[in-house]
Structures are given as structure tokens and as C-alpha cells.
Amino acid sequence: MTGRMLRSEELYTRCDPAAFAFATTADLEDVVGIPGQVRATEALDFGVGIRREGYNLFVMGPPGTGKHRLVRELLAQKVSGASRPSDWVYVNNFEHPHKPLAIELASGRGSALRDDMRRLVEDLRIAIPAVFESDEYRSRGEQIDLDFAERQEKAFGELGAEASQQSIALLRTPNGFSLAPAKDGEVISAEDYERLPEADKERIQKAIAALQQKLERIIRLAQQWRRERFERVKALNREMTLLAVGHLVDDLRLRYADAPKVCAYLEAVRQDVIESRDDFLPQQKSGLPFLPSPSDAASLRRYEVNVIIDHGDGNGMPVVVEEHPTYSNLLGRVDHISQFGTLMTDFGLIKAGALHRANGGYLLLDVHRLLMQPFAWEGLKRALSTRGIRIESLGEMYSLVSTVSLEPEPIPLDVKVVLFGERYFYHLLQAYDPDFPRLFKVAVDFDDDVKHDAGNRDLYARVLGTMARHDGLLPLEGGAVARVIEHSARLAGDALRLSANLRRLGDLAGEADHWARTASRQAITAVDIQRAIDAQQRRSDRLRERIHETILRGTIMIDSDGEKVGQVNGLSVYMLGEHAFGEPTRITATTRVGDGQIIDVQREVELGGAIHSKGVLILSAFLAARFSTREPHALSASLVFEQTYGTVEGDSASVAELVALMSSLAEVPVRQSLAVTGSVNQLGQVQAIGRVNEKIEGFFDICRARGLTGHQGVIIPATNVDHLMLRSDVVEAVAAGRFQVWAVREVDEVVELLTGMPAGVADAGGAWPAETVNGRIARRLKALTRLRQQQMRLALQGPKGQREAQ
């Protein structure tokens, strides 16, 4: 059980440039789709193709995998040549102005209706004044006035003649009509009236009373005649207005005969124009310059057509990307304007949202941005559930403002929504939002990495060629493509896989293009790729260099030679965004008599994560299962990551912690020239861990700075061998015998490598060989158990026994 020392060929999987049948990527055709994303492509084809309710898409995967590109390419193919969706307009509701009407029109006819209505208004502003200035209108109006005057004069004339026969005069005064006694056609004075005999006075008073009743009746009739005159004038105005507007509206109705809702609207326009003909007549300007004139264009806004969706210039179904998905940007809004300190609105201020623009097509949204906006997610779900877009003011909905608002008629919704986001958003919504599984039934899951085979290598070469042409980069030579593919495997953390993060590969190609142009080359070479990789590493390397400096100066204590009991070099990884690096960490263990508890110091002070604590419990179970099957061991131990001041998470150090415990129990020193990484299960098997390349390189850099001796190295799980894509300097050191990389499967292999002593195998009776690590541990545990039992017996004897125990 000594493990296996790896050869240098196993530490790096090379991509042979000779395997490519091209000189540069300029010889390759553009690639369609994303290499290796077969599952995602199939799901996307299905989700885009099916036209059933609730089959919206959630496209998930890590950033940089080409999700947006693939979706847009597929949608571009889908919508090209497809029929364009309808136009939508809002018009005034003349019966209920606060509830504007929504009208659907064929593509391109929305703007046509708007232009037709504008021409109609302009024609009416000419035709209506012309009709009311015509000779016909003037003569008919004068005839109405003449008829009224004749009837009035006849009635008052007859009353005046009757009064004159009774020596009574009918007088016209500024205040109306009155009756007075008269003689020879002249009104007698008050003095002459007083000198009349009483019989004459009585006759005159009776005559005046009778005539007064007739006068009042005639005045009532005159008022009725005025009303009749007004109605006749009004009917004449309606008739003349209809004469002006009728044929104009009829022409429009014929043009939109296939749109019943437009015809109904035009009929309402006709009736409103007839009732509001004064708005089309010239008006006198107000004497106050700051007051608007009644004839201003604002008074005719009610005849405008608000085209909120116009697909007249479109090409197929719309594909809308909303980068800022607020509630209003999604579902539309109603704007307000200030007039004399008051906020006013009308149907012309209704603004479309992304759902309106995407209606009949596809809407692409980022789920994180969507969930960050108040009410946006609920608004989107409500629209998809009701299959309608209802524009509502949030301020009015929650009584935040008291301005007059509108209630636009909802518009039917037929859209397929594509959400983009990382996987945890999908799973959180699946778990906590009951509406989500009903509305987003298609999951499009992009892989983090793809299989590393000849087919995908060729596809990656074409991808790089496509990127170079699209971004205006120099073509890549075969060696440069090979180096990019090797770097892609390193990013994937697996020699048998390639990273699907095409964005990072594109950035690398762009930076290599800079170095190639600096060197006046005609194509990007492997040297340029390597220089770009080194430059990226250098830009992000400040913290790693500082930690290395503190280790080399002894501030952080790490031994790379010698032997120590209960002390092992573990390996940690630091993540800084997309940059990761490894560093050695000293792990120590102490053991003593106790009650079987292993104290994880990191957990006790709440600096240990759940997975790290799980690893400590597993190694505790391993020790108990191996050495204490018949009786509990009287062991108390402490484990600590020395000089760590942040949270420790993960179980990749559990092998190192277990070996430190076993070294302390067996009192066998551990080689400090080796570092170890790996997790352990209850059976003592060493399990794979992540970031193995960074961990090996972290310890190698410390050893190289102190001087490589040929005895230094790293122990890794055998299941991690396929993940190795180490730096060239590490590979060269291993090839020269100046550094070692060991692969192990069992914890006993690690023990033998670190201690130089056999681990030992128990016989059929469970006894361990004496001069082995496991044998020494078994003896030590038995001694601790006897000591514990003795302490307990003396404790039962009271104070005397306690003194003896001391």
C-alpha cells in the first residue's frame, strides 16, 4: 500500500496541432450552434416549436456558455419569413373617456389608421367651416329667424290691436312688455288717470288685467317658439355638419370594412363631430395670452389614434430583449402631463411595454434582473396566466397618488417568454413559487463542460475561427487552437472535458490577438495564447504573491522538509471571482485521554462550514469503526487549521486531518516534504476533490522557492488523476525527478507515504501487527482506555481516590 507515483505524461493531456487539417482558422467554415450542447439544443428546439399554453422556457447554465447566442440564432431562423403579428392601437372611448378602447389591426394598418384620422381631422377643419359659411346655411338660418320673428310679431301685434281698441297701449321697455291706459294713441299721465271717473278707472283696470293674462300667455308661447327655433337651428347645424363629415367618414368605413371595431369607432367619431362642430370652427383668441384657445390642436386630440404596436416595418415575428424589466417596462404605463399645476392624462399617453412589443413573438428576459424589480415578476405571471396585458398604475393600485388615471382595455397576449438565469434560480422558483412549474414547463439546461474528443476539438476550432471573423481578430494557427483547447480543459478542471465557457475563450483569443499584432504577426500562435494566459494570471496574482511571501518569510508557518508528529500539510484553495489558486495549510492534531470526543476547533468557534464538519464526523466514525468495535475508546482529540482566520469549508482536507490524528495517536512523525489532499469515507477510501491542479501548484511554488530536493510532492486521490492539467513547470520538474505526485485509493496508502512505516493489516482476530502505524494506534487507545477506567475507579473512591489519581 504505497500508492502510485505518477509519470509526467499523466500530469497533462496535450492536444496535438498535427491532428488539425488546416493552416489557420481562416480555412474553416463558421460553426452553427454551440459545441457539445446537444441536450440544450434539443430542449430549445422543442420549447420554441411547441405552441401550447405554459410552455415558456427557462434557459439555465453558467455565464459565458453561449446561451443568449444559441437562443437568438434559433429564434432568428424561426421568425424569419413568418407572418407578422397584428398592430394594436388605442383610441378614445367617447362614452367613457377613462376607458380607452384597444383595436387590433393587420400588420401595417395601425399607422395607416392614424394617418387617415389625421387627414380626416384636417379635412373637417376645412369642410365644416366652409359648410357654415355657405349661402345655403345662411339662407336657411335666416329663414328660421324670419319665421320666429313673424310669429312673434304677429302675436304681439294682435295683442296690441286688441289693447288699442280698449284704449290700452302695449309698451316695449328694456325690461319687457307692459300695459298702460292710453287716449288717442298716447299714454295718459298719472295725473290725467287720477282725474278719470271711477267707472272708467274700473273698466281700464279690468281690461289691463285681461290683457295681462293674454300677454303672459304670449310670452310663454314666445319662449316655446325660441326653443323650437333653437332646435331647428341645432338640427340645421347637425344636418350641415353631417353633410360635411358624412362622406368623409363613409369613405374610411369602406376602407376598413373588414375591421368591425374600426367601423364602430368611426361611427362614434361621426356622432362626436356632429355634437362638437364648434371645435372645428374658428374661435376668437382669448384676451389672456397664457390661456389656450378652444381651437387649439389639443382640443382635437380625442380624434388621434395612439399606435402602441406597429409591425409595418417588421420582418416576421418580433424577438424582444428587455434589459431593464421593471413593471412599467414590461406591462406598459400611462404617462401624465402637467397643465396649470394639475397632472392630466388621456389615451394618447398610453405607452407600450415589452409584452406589447413581443406580442405574437418572443420575449427574452434575465431572471435575476426581473426578480430584482418590485412587482415585475407578479405582473409577468398575471399576464401569462390571464393571457392578457392590463396596464395598471402602481401608484393608483396602492393609493400612492391621487391623480386621474385611465383603465385601458386589456390586450390579448400570445407570447413565448424565455428566461435566462443560473440553475439555483430555476430550482428556487420550482420549490417556492407554485405558479412557476405551470408557466415555465421547458427547462433548457446548458452543460458547464463538454466531452473532450476529436469531434469537439474540431468544433472548438471552428468556434474560434467564427469568433475571430466576427470580432475582427487575426486567424489562429493550429498550435494556437491546440493551446486554447488545452487551456479549456484546465478551466473545466478535467483532462477529459472541455469548458463550455466560450466567453472566456473568446476573451483569451482577443488578448492573444493583441500580442500577435504587437509582434507584427499575421496569425495568432501558441506563443501569443500562452502570453495572454500568463498576463491574465499576472493581473489576478497579487493576493497569491502576498500569501507566498508571508509563507516564505515564516509569518505563516509551513514546513516543506523534516518530520513532525501530529502535523500534516493540507492544501486549500482560494477563489477570487474567476481566479483560483492553491496554498498549503498546516493541520495539527493532539490526542489525550478523554471520553471519545474529537474536537473540531473550526466548528467550535463557528469558522467551519457544514461540509467541513461533516468530514470531521466521518473520520471520527472511521477511527471508531476500525479501533473501537468492542468498547468505546477513551480518546479526546483536537483538530485545527493553524493560522486560518476565515471560514473553512469543504471536506478535501479530511484525509490530512485523519492522518494527523493517526500520527498523534501512534506517536509517529509525518514527512513535511509531502502535502496531501482528498476526502475520506467511513471505509477509509480516499475520494476525489475539486481544484486539484491549483492545490498541487500551490505547494510546488513554495517548494520551488525554497529549493526542490526531489523528495517533495503532493498526494492526491487516484480518482483525480483524470483531472490533471498541470502547468508546464510542474510537469518538467516531475519529469526531471525533482518533484513527485502520488495517487492513492486508501487512507493506509497515505499513512505509509507520509510516515515511512507500514500501515498494517489486522488479522482474522482483529489484532494489528505491533510495529505498524495501526498497531501503535491500537496499543495507544488500549492504554488510554485503561487509564480512563482507572480514573473512574479512583473517582468512585472519593477524595482519597482523587488524590491517588493526581
Side-chain angles (χ1 to χ4, degrees):
M1 292 188 184
T2 58
R4 183 172 69 88
M5 183 185 296
L6 299 181
R7 304 185 310 275
S8 61
E9 295 81 7
E10 298 178 87
L11 306 182
Y12 192 85
T13 302
R14 300 190 181 279
C15 178
D16 186 5
F20 296 123
F22 58 86
T24 69
T25 55
D27 303 332
L28 302 175
E29 296 180 353
D30 285 350
V31 69
V32 178
I34 304 296
Q37 301 289 1
V38 179
R39 180 190 297 104
T41 303
E42 292 174 350
L44 192 57
D45 285 334
F46 168 76
V48 170
I50 189 171
R51 305 302 298 183
R52 291 178 59 84
E53 183 178 354
Y55 281 83
N56 299 292
L57 295 84
F58 192 106
V59 181
M60 55 183 161
T65 52
K67 301 188 296 292
H68 290 80
R69 172 191 160 194
L70 182 60
V71 170
R72 294 187 189 189
E73 284 181 356
L74 183 61
L75 291 182
Q77 299 172 8
K78 179 74 174 178
V79 305
S80 179
S83 59
R84 292 177 293 181
S86 303
D87 290 352
W88 282 94
V89 302
Y90 272 109
V91 297
N92 186 33
N93 185 340
F94 295 101
E95 292 186 5
H96 305 286
H98 69 289
K99 294 182 177 181
L101 301 174
I103 298 179
E104 182 180 10
L105 292 163
S107 176
R109 299 190 73 188
S111 57
L113 178 61
R114 177 191 59 200
D115 296 339
D116 288 339
M117 286 301 299
R118 288 176 178 174
R119 281 192 294 270
L120 174 64
V121 171
E122 291 301 320
D123 292 343
L124 292 176
R125 296 183 73 175
I126 296 173
I128 291 177
V131 166
F132 283 94
E133 293 173 1
S134 65
D135 293 338
E136 180 185 359
Y137 177 77
R138 188 178 298 109
S139 63
R140 293 179 65 180
E142 290 174 352
Q143 184 61 47
I144 293 173
D145 292 339
L146 181 61
D147 291 345
F148 172 76
E150 287 179 352
R151 293 176 68 181
Q152 185 170 286
E153 289 300 325
K154 180 180 179 182
F156 283 108
E158 290 175 352
L159 181 62
E162 182 182 353
S164 179
Q165 292 175 1
Q166 301 180 46
S167 299
I168 303 296
L170 179 62
L171 304 177
R172 294 176 182 268
T173 69
N175 295 326
F177 291 91
S178 64
L179 297 168
K183 185 178 180 180
D184 300 330
E186 297 290 335
V187 177
I188 63 176
S189 64
E191 293 79 4
D192 293 339
Y193 178 77
E194 291 297 330
R195 288 195 290 269
L196 291 176
E198 290 297 326
D200 291 341
K201 288 182 180 180
E202 184 177 353
R203 179 186 61 78
I204 291 171
Q205 290 176 355
K206 289 182 179 180
I208 290 176
L211 292 172
Q212 183 67 36
Q213 291 179 355
K214 293 182 178 180
L215 176 61
E216 291 175 355
R217 185 171 59 255
I218 291 173
I219 290 174
R220 287 195 295 271
L221 286 173
Q223 292 174 347
Q224 181 178 343
W225 296 335
R226 287 193 187 93
R227 287 193 294 272
E228 291 176 0
R229 172 182 173 275
F230 176 77
E231 292 299 328
R232 289 180 62 187
V233 171
K234 186 176 179 180
L236 175 61
N237 290 340
R238 290 173 60 88
E239 180 183 348
M240 299 305 291
T241 304
L242 183 58
L243 180 65
V245 71
H247 69 283
L248 296 174
V249 173
D250 288 340
D251 290 344
L252 284 181
R253 293 191 63 178
L254 287 175
R255 193 175 304 170
Y256 295 94
D258 58 338
K261 205 165 184 179
V262 175
C263 293
Y265 166 68
L266 290 174
E267 183 59 33
V269 169
R270 185 206 310 263
Q271 296 302 321
D272 188 76
V273 170
I274 291 173
E275 298 297 330
S276 309
R277 57 105 186 178
D278 289 342
D279 290 343
F280 295 89
L281 298 177
Q283 302 288 332
Q284 291 185 350
K285 295 290 183 180
S286 170
L288 300 175
F290 56 85
L291 291 178
S293 170
S295 62
D296 286 344
S299 63
L300 302 178
R301 278 175 56 89
R302 63 183 182 276
Y303 303 115
E304 287 279 348
V305 173
N306 182 7
V307 182
I308 63 168
I309 298 299
D310 182 7
H311 292 296
D313 298 328
N315 180 23
M317 292 185 288
V319 178
V320 177
V321 181
E322 180 54 60
E323 299 291 349
H324 187 48
T326 64
Y327 180 88
S328 298
N329 287 351
L330 279 178
L331 286 95
R333 67 184 188 277
V334 179
D335 286 343
H336 291 74
I337 57 176
S338 178
Q339 289 185 351
F340 303 104
T342 302
L343 291 177
M344 304 296 293
T345 188
D346 61 25
F347 72 95
L349 296 175
I350 298 174
K351 306 298 181 183
L355 284 172
H356 295 93
R357 298 192 300 274
N359 203 4
Y362 302 88
L363 175 61
L364 280 55
L365 299 170
D366 181 89
V367 69
H368 181 230
R369 296 174 183 171
L370 177 65
L371 295 174
M372 288 291 289
Q373 299 299 327
F375 310 107
W377 174 242
E378 291 300 322
L380 176 64
K381 290 195 301 179
R382 184 165 57 251
L384 293 176
S385 298
T386 61
R387 299 183 66 83
I389 313 172
R390 181 182 297 275
I391 300 177
E392 296 177 298
S393 168
L394 287 176
E396 183 177 328
M397 188 186 307
Y398 293 96
S399 302
L400 301 177
V401 295
S402 58
T403 56
V404 176
S405 190
L406 304 178
E407 299 176 20
E409 182 181 0
I411 290 178
L413 178 64
D414 179 20
V415 69
K416 191 173 286 288
V417 177
V418 182
L419 292 181
F420 293 90
E422 297 196 37
R423 294 186 182 94
Y424 63 85
F425 283 115
Y426 177 82
H427 296 299
L428 285 173
L429 290 171
Q430 280 277 4
Y432 294 106
D433 191 335
D435 297 325
F436 181 76
R438 177 173 55 86
L439 297 175
F440 291 88
K441 297 181 179 180
V442 181
V444 182
D445 194 357
F446 277 71
D447 284 319
D448 299 51
D449 46 51
V450 300
K451 189 176 181 181
H452 186 173
D453 57 20
N456 279 334
R457 284 196 294 270
D458 291 339
L459 284 175
Y460 266 57
R462 291 175 60 191
V463 167
L464 291 170
T466 304
M467 288 180 176
R469 280 186 289 273
H470 182 270
D471 297 335
L473 307 179
L474 294 173
L476 286 78
E477 293 182 353
V481 172
R483 185 66 189 92
V484 171
I485 290 175
E486 292 170 356
H487 184 64
S488 178
R490 170 62 186 256
L491 294 178
D494 190 340
L496 304 181
R497 308 288 294 180
L498 295 176
S499 171
N501 194 328
L502 301 182
R503 175 184 58 79
R504 292 188 68 177
L505 300 184
D507 292 343
L508 180 63
E511 295 176 24
D513 174 81
H514 167 75
W515 298 119
R517 293 181 187 274
T518 301
S520 301
R521 280 191 270 270
Q522 300 302 311
I524 299 173
T525 66
V527 174
D528 301 315
I529 296 293
Q530 186 59 51
R531 187 172 182 183
I533 294 173
D534 294 341
Q536 288 180 347
Q537 178 75 20
R538 174 66 177 168
R539 291 194 297 270
S540 304
D541 221 20
R542 183 192 63 84
L543 182 59
R544 188 192 69 86
E545 289 183 353
R546 291 297 304 275
I547 294 177
H548 274 209
E549 180 184 348
T550 57
I551 291 174
L552 296 174
R553 293 174 60 185
T555 305
I556 295 179
M557 293 183 289
I558 298 292
D559 293 332
S560 55
D561 57 12
E563 296 180 340
K564 295 287 180 64
V565 174
Q567 177 177 303
V568 176
N569 286 327
L571 294 170
S572 303
V573 170
Y574 296 81
M575 298 294 299
L576 300 174
E578 294 182 339
H579 178 59
F581 62 91
E583 297 294 343
T585 301
R586 175 177 290 181
I587 298 173
T588 60
T590 59
T591 54
R592 55 203 173 275
V593 66
D595 54 4
Q597 182 181 12
I598 296 179
I599 299 173
D600 176 13
V601 174
Q602 314 298 134
R603 180 180 59 187
E604 295 297 322
V605 297
E606 298 183 354
L607 287 178
I611 298 176
H612 174 261
S613 299
K614 173 189 173 185
V616 174
L617 294 175
I618 288 174
L619 67 88
S620 301
F622 166 77
L623 286 175
R626 172 169 285 192
F627 299 108
S628 304
T629 55
R630 293 182 175 84
E631 60 180 354
H633 52 242
L635 167 69
S636 182
S638 298
L639 283 170
V640 64
F641 279 66
E642 302 290 357
Q643 292 184 288
T644 57
Y645 307 101
T647 301
V648 175
E649 179 58 305
D651 62 351
S652 65
S654 56
V655 168
E657 292 174 302
L658 177 57
V659 172
L661 272 175
M662 295 175 74
S663 168
S664 178
L665 282 170
E667 297 177 337
V668 175
V670 172
R671 293 170 57 190
Q672 301 300 298
S673 58
L674 294 176
V676 62
T677 183
S679 68
V680 66
N681 61 25
Q682 292 188 111
L683 304 178
Q685 298 168 329
V686 179
Q687 303 170 141
I689 45 83
R691 297 287 179 178
V692 64
N693 294 294
E694 288 82 356
K695 292 177 178 178
I696 294 173
E697 291 166 357
F699 190 64
F700 171 81
D701 289 339
I702 295 299
C703 295
R704 181 178 58 180
R706 290 174 173 172
L708 295 175
T709 63
H711 301 293
Q712 297 143 331
V714 175
I715 303 171
I716 65 171
T719 48
N720 276 121
V721 172
D722 287 341
H723 303 154
L724 294 177
M725 287 295 291
L726 291 169
R727 290 195 321 245
S728 59
D729 54 347
V730 181
V731 177
E732 292 168 1
V734 171
R738 295 184 292 116
F739 195 74
Q740 303 170 357
V741 178
W742 293 84
V744 296
R745 296 188 179 277
E746 303 285 341
V747 69
D748 287 336
E749 299 176 41
V750 183
V751 169
E752 292 184 354
L753 285 171
L754 289 175
T755 63
M757 178 182 291
V761 178
D763 59 21
W768 298 91
E771 291 307 314
T772 63
V773 174
N774 287 321
R776 294 171 69 95
I777 293 173
R779 287 201 308 272
R780 176 80 186 282
L781 288 174
K782 287 181 180 179
L784 292 174
T785 300
R786 288 194 298 270
L787 180 59
R788 180 61 173 166
Q789 291 172 348
Q790 181 182 1
Q791 289 176 342
M792 294 178 65
R793 286 195 302 270
L794 293 175
L796 292 175
Q797 296 176 10
K800 178 180 178 181
Q802 294 177 8
R803 287 194 298 272
E804 292 181 6
Q806 293 174 357

